[in-house]
Amino acid sequence: MWPKTLKNAPGQGNYLEFLARRDKSVGAFLHVTGSIRQNGGAPSDSGADGGNTCLEGVPVAVKDNIAVEGMPLTCGSRILEPLVSPYSATAVERLERAGARVVGKTNLDEFGMGSSTETSALGETNNPWDVSRVAGGSSGGSAAAVAARMVPVALGSDTGGSIRQPAAFCGVYGLKPTYGTVSRHGLVAYASSLEVIGAAAESVDVLEAAYAAMSGSDVMDQSSLDHPVPPPDSGATRIGFLGGELGLSPEVAENYARFVEALGDAGYETEEIALSTLEYVVPAYYTIASAEASANLARFNGVRYGHRTDYSENPEELIRKSRTEGFGSEVKNRIVLGTYVLRSGFQDQYYLRAQKIRTLIRREIERAFAGVDLICSPVFPTQAFPHGSKEMDAFQQKVADRFTGTANLAAIPALTVPSGLAGGLPVGMQFMAPPFGEGRLFAAARTIGEIFPVEFPPGMEPPWAADRE
Amino acid sequence: MYQSFVGLEIHVQLKTETKVFCSCAANYGDEPNTNVCPVCLGYPGTLPAVNERALEMAYLVARSLNCDLAPVCHFDRKNYFYPDLPKDYQISQFHRPLGTKGYIDLEFRRNHKRVRIHEIHLEEDAGKMIHAGDMSLLDFNRAGTPLLEIVTEPDLEIGDEAEALLQELRRLVRYLGVCDGNMEEGSLRCDANVSVNLRGAGLGSKVEIKNMNSSRFVRKALTYEIARQQEVLERGGSIPQETRLWNENRDITETMRTKESAHDYRYFPEPDMPPFTADEAFLERVESRLVELPAPRRERFVSYYGLSQSQAEFLCDERATADFFEAAVTAGAAPDQAALWMAGDVQKWLNRAATTLTETALTPARLASLLSMLAHGRIHGKIAKQTLTRIFEEDTDAETIIQREGWEQIRDETVLGEFIDTVLSENTRAVDQLKAGDARPMGFLVGQVMKATAGRAEPQLLQELIRRKLDYNVIHVLSFGGAIAGRRQEDGLVVPGDLVDVHELFAGDPAVPDSLRFSEVQLGQFLSEEITPADWAALITTVNETITSANTGGVVIAHGTDTLSYTASLVYWFFSDAPVPIVLTASAVPGNAGGRSDAVDNLRASILVAAGEERGVHVVYGKDDFYPINLKFERAGYTAVARGAAGRAGRDEVAGDRSDFYAGVFRNWNKDGLRRSAPALAAEARELQRAELTSRLEEALSSVFVIKVYPGLSGDALISLMDAGVRYFILEIYDTGTANLRETPFSLRKAFDEGARRGVSFFCTSQQEGTVDFSEYVTAHELWRRGAIPMGVLTTESAFTRLVAAMLVCEDDRAVVHTMEEAE
């Protein structure tokens, strides 16, 4: 499936030059490697450990909140700008062992907090379809890199939709796996109980190959899991689609209707379902995510690594000033919110209540899957919006997370698939499956891909096209 | 009356090989920042992975502290910013700790208590920050090492008790092999919560005390803090909830932060780790690591091996020592001897060499063989001590050393018998003298045989054989004042006098065997009420010379009745391990009254006990053989009629009914459990030169005061005595330990407060027969709280002499107090 051009040295220089050239208009990368390392220094034992040779030589971009040894790990934040990671994430190590080559680190909303990649302190990422628009977020750089044909697959992280929403904005596939199936070791924590490493990709094949290489339990992450044996049936016949008043833009609403219709055409039994917990997704999600973020981001204090203030009278002041200088306003906002909801005496009212809602959401999803094999819903109420959009301010972006947040709260897998263009911009729809139902997602994506094949921005030719047989 | 509540939070560093959430070595003493990795440095993207060995140790401690073990426990995040805390939160346990509802049994100054353990949880330690000039330096080697926190309920009341609990807990974790328990190095750390309130009013506001880096500081800080809070409350003030730091330079606690600035730790469940399930295999591993803990082991050492409480405490302090002892016993050593030697000469050598038992060449088998040689008389005590030193120095066994040095004694009766026969046949004059009743040639004869055997004859056996051959036994009679050695003058008054010639007195007495020879020593011409420290020193050194000389069958000390209970107990503390009977006796009527005096009867009875088989210290009066301690001179049956009749009217009446005459003059209080023979408390001090002993006794006596508590006794009087240099009081209080501690000048309260400030100790005995243990009355408990030390069954006289003896052999006040606490 993948031409081997990039495997050997002669093509490299040209490829890296190509990346730099194309990224000028897109801004997907925060860092591009000086030379592509072979096997990441790890022994090539693709036979063992589920290695997948179909990734041999595949260039891969990594969201800059996932550790790659020897590369920066900025999380799009001033506070980690000086940091070079001393180790690689398990997911990265496994991909490299399967033959993939890390070519650079992609832009993101600061620490993954945002839906537009605009909260990044270190660069702006444009949508390859229309550079005046955002690529989505927080894994905007990864989705844009794939859409701009710079890499066939890019790692991202999904805390509340952070892979799926930019994948939809950019018209590519985006997988949020079952919580725990991909080790979080090496993923800079924002909301530990919600987030998972996944990927944006140009095809279902490369996405599935990457997922197969990355997944599986890891001693470095005690919350990681293996897929159960046997895995859930990959065939799906019944698909429930989220109905009712969903608050979609006219373009997305029209596209959604066509998509649901197409499901029927493809042979699926479809039925409209409602999720009564939908309106609680966003409050519960932000309460839990902020609470965990307030603890997870506490370690960035300027003492051991990262940004340190120029002068301080004492260690306490060093911490205070470094954090004040290093964090952006959206991050500070969520840290303060998280600290607030965790105060003793107020946990019942906020944090514990959010956890109860989370349990209700999980139960409702379980019940829903008793009747259908997959759930289909929009990813986001709108298509990619313009930079600095007034309609899509930070608050509206959060409200818009309601379709994606469910999968994170319920710890289930979900996949964004392209659903065609509207007004010259891509739209994406989402499938959700029961835990460990990734196979079911890939199968459905392939089926619907016959009707809605992936499309790329005009003029964005891949560097490897010439080599394609 | 106030009540104090103290709860402890004890941190135990678990001795795992690796840290609790990563695989770095848990050696925090290494070169700074060498045992670190992205996980324990809190690098972005790293996750904790719990070390199951740490959980195993944690469950083991919880199990050993009788906790309910959580079948499933999980971790929580405790959030606070501190430069040495890499993640700025600590992974700890808050909602579901691994152990709850445990307890530890504690005894402090006769007060038995079950201190409840609220919970036990596992957490990670922080790094270390030091400030150097205008820099702050951080070492993260310790960051992420496993820490066990043990939280007690507020069941403790005083600082001393908290110290005792920490020491017991230290022993426990060392026994379990999970921690070295070193407080100075921080592997065992303790914070405390203190609250004081009116009795019955429940807990007051809670003050947390930190920065106590040794168990001694814990005691001092808590003692200070309890007194401080009580004073504030008494003045009508209130105690704010706050955290205070112990300032070890100023010996006070100081405010660190108030409630308003207290941390809100915002605990929430750690999302990075799934809950831990203690499955059957895990619990079996925990179970297999259980060991016999210090407390039950001490009890077993007392009940099974017949050791004293203090011996058991000494041996069980370290598991290795207790194991060594049991191995030595298994190898054939007699338990009492093994205990005696381990606490004595072995320990002395270890102290000198500044090492520990397991690091030396002495093995249980080597000790056992040494003791067996001693027990079988193959070597004598002095040689045994030398051999022990050689074992330590040369790393070889006793047998080799003794063979090589030719130290084995001759104890073959036939061989010795031949030497004796030769010497006796060559010294017919000395033999004749002995036969004629003179004890003096005995020493000469023994010396001659020794010379003939080149010093290798076993002295005890040699003496025994000579005695048997010549059929005699030497009793040393020491005249130590009193009427028994006195004379009644014409006017009827008794004056000090010489002791009668015992040999002459009992010549022809059918009750006294012909085989007895007497050696008499006049120690002083005084009445027993006139005893001075110099007299006691003379008595002690003389008794010591006598029992260590080769020709002693027994010792009789002729004393007066008035102070007999003091001298008898003093002799006991010095000589309870004597190899021969030591008998104290007295009389009310001077010996020059001839056959009609009680002196003659008592002397005769004493001589027979001294010539008997029962070693140890006796007090013989009339028909009774009393114990030397807890002797009370009660005169119950010693009526004025008897005295008057004996003194002036005519002695025949006295002679008429002797049994009435003697009955009830003396009595042992709390007689159960008293002994004549035991390891001697002050054995070392009896080796001192007489002048040295005199001056040390004088010095000791100058810092001791005995006070009988009475209604209206003023605390100020005791304070004046403190001003005059008194550091120890024997308080003879009411019943089983009550005294007035109200806020009035006519109570002991001021004296206790002042005493606590000055480090003065109060040892409490009773004016009535009974056990002082402060168990019954709230006033008694208050005494305990204020640091008074209950003397249990000991009478005032015996407690007093024990204190004097303890002061001669103890290095410091703490040791003196400890010796007093250990009184039977």
Side-chain angles (χ1 to χ4, degrees), chain B residues 293-313:
Chain B
L293 296 173
R297 199 166 197 183
R298 282 194 299 264
E299 275 170 39
R300 187 167 61 83
F301 275 27
V302 170
S303 63
Y304 184 75
Y305 295 116
L307 303 183
S308 73
Q309 193 63 39
S310 60
Q311 282 176 321
E313 267 174 36

Side-chain angles (χ1 to χ4, degrees), chain B residues 72-361:
Chain B
V72 177
C73 68
H74 71 67
F75 292 92
D76 296 281
R77 290 185 182 177
K78 179 179 182 177
N79 297 286
Y80 65 95
F81 282 91
Y82 204 73
D84 68 7
L85 188 65
K87 299 186 293 297
D88 285 314
Y89 62 79
Q90 179 192 32
I91 302 179
S92 180
Q93 296 191 300
F94 182 71
H95 296 292
R96 285 162 87 180
L98 61 93
T100 48
K101 294 185 200 154
Y103 63 84
I104 181 168
D105 285 325
L106 194 65
E107 187 191 336
F108 181 71
R109 290 183 182 159
R110 298 175 203 280
N111 188 26
H112 297 267
K113 189 177 279 182
R114 179 157 285 190
V115 178
R116 293 169 298 155
I117 308 288
H118 177 74
E119 67 165 72
I120 295 184
H121 63 254
L122 182 61
E123 60 191 24
E124 58 180 337
D125 207 344
K128 245 184 183 160
M129 181 164 62
I130 53 167
H131 302 287
D134 58 353
M135 285 188 301
S136 299
L137 301 171
L138 284 154
D139 175 9
F140 290 102
N141 281 350
R142 201 179 69 181
T145 54
L147 208 53
L148 195 67
E149 181 169 340
I150 302 171
V151 183
T152 78
E153 297 286 355
D155 290 346
L156 299 160
E157 292 168 86
I158 57 175
D160 292 88
E161 212 184 8
E163 184 183 29
L165 181 117
L166 270 177
Q167 286 164 348
E168 186 68 4
L169 204 63
R170 176 181 180 275
R171 276 188 283 271
L172 184 130
V173 295
R174 286 176 63 89
Y175 263 59
L176 294 173
V178 301
C179 175
D180 63 20
N182 189 327
M183 281 197 81
E184 282 74 17
E185 285 174 17
S187 49
L188 191 70
R189 309 200 280 269
C190 178
D191 298 333
N193 290 307
V194 180
S195 115
V196 173
N197 209 349
L198 277 172
R199 186 167 285 282
L203 291 166
S205 21
K206 189 171 83 174
V207 174
E208 188 177 7
I209 313 289
K210 288 177 175 288
N211 195 39
M212 303 174 289
N213 300 324
S214 73
S215 58
R216 191 168 61 95
F217 288 148
V218 169
R219 168 171 53 84
K220 288 174 80 173
L222 294 179
T223 306
Y224 171 87
E225 181 61 19
I226 291 165
R228 185 190 72 85
Q229 292 190 23
Q230 196 158 320
E231 263 170 43
V232 171
L233 293 172
E234 275 166 3
R235 285 201 312 269
S238 63
I239 305 289
Q241 186 176 328
E242 60 178 348
T243 299
R244 299 174 72 88
L245 292 181
W246 171 245
N247 182 330
E248 62 185 61
N249 298 317
R250 299 182 57 200
D251 278 3
I252 59 170
T253 63
E254 295 165 325
T255 298
M256 175 193 169
R257 60 171 177 247
T258 56
K259 188 189 175 189
E260 287 68 35
S261 58
H263 283 130
D264 178 355
Y265 292 119
R266 309 192 309 280
Y267 287 99
F268 75 98
E270 169 58 83
D272 287 335
M273 272 182 295
F276 173 78
T277 304
D279 59 23
E280 208 168 302
F282 174 84
L283 290 174
E284 262 169 35
R285 281 203 302 284
V286 169
E287 213 62 20
S288 72
R289 288 189 59 173
L290 284 175
V291 300
E292 186 183 27
L293 296 173
R297 199 166 197 183
R298 282 194 299 264
E299 275 170 39
R300 187 167 61 83
F301 275 27
V302 170
S303 63
Y304 184 75
Y305 295 116
L307 303 183
S308 73
Q309 193 63 39
S310 60
Q311 282 176 321
E313 267 174 36
F314 169 80
L315 291 173
C316 295
D317 193 43
E318 293 287 347
R319 184 177 164 189
T321 313
D323 288 347
F324 188 103
F325 166 80
E326 294 211 277
V329 170
T330 308
D336 59 337
Q337 285 302 304
L340 204 62
W341 278 73
M342 285 179 69
D345 291 273
V346 172
Q347 190 56 41
K348 257 184 240 164
W349 195 89
L350 295 177
N351 291 347
R352 257 203 312 277
T355 184
T356 55
L357 193 50
T358 45
E359 285 163 20
T360 69

Side-chain angles (χ1 to χ4, degrees), chain A residues 12 31 61 67-68 114-116 118 123 131 198 230 308 324 358 369 391 395 405:
Chain A
Q12 270 187 33
H31 169 79
V68 179
S115 306
S116 63
E118 287 180 304
V131 294
R308 177 188 288 183
T324 302
R358 184 176 185 178
F369 281 122
E391 290 89 66
F395 178 73

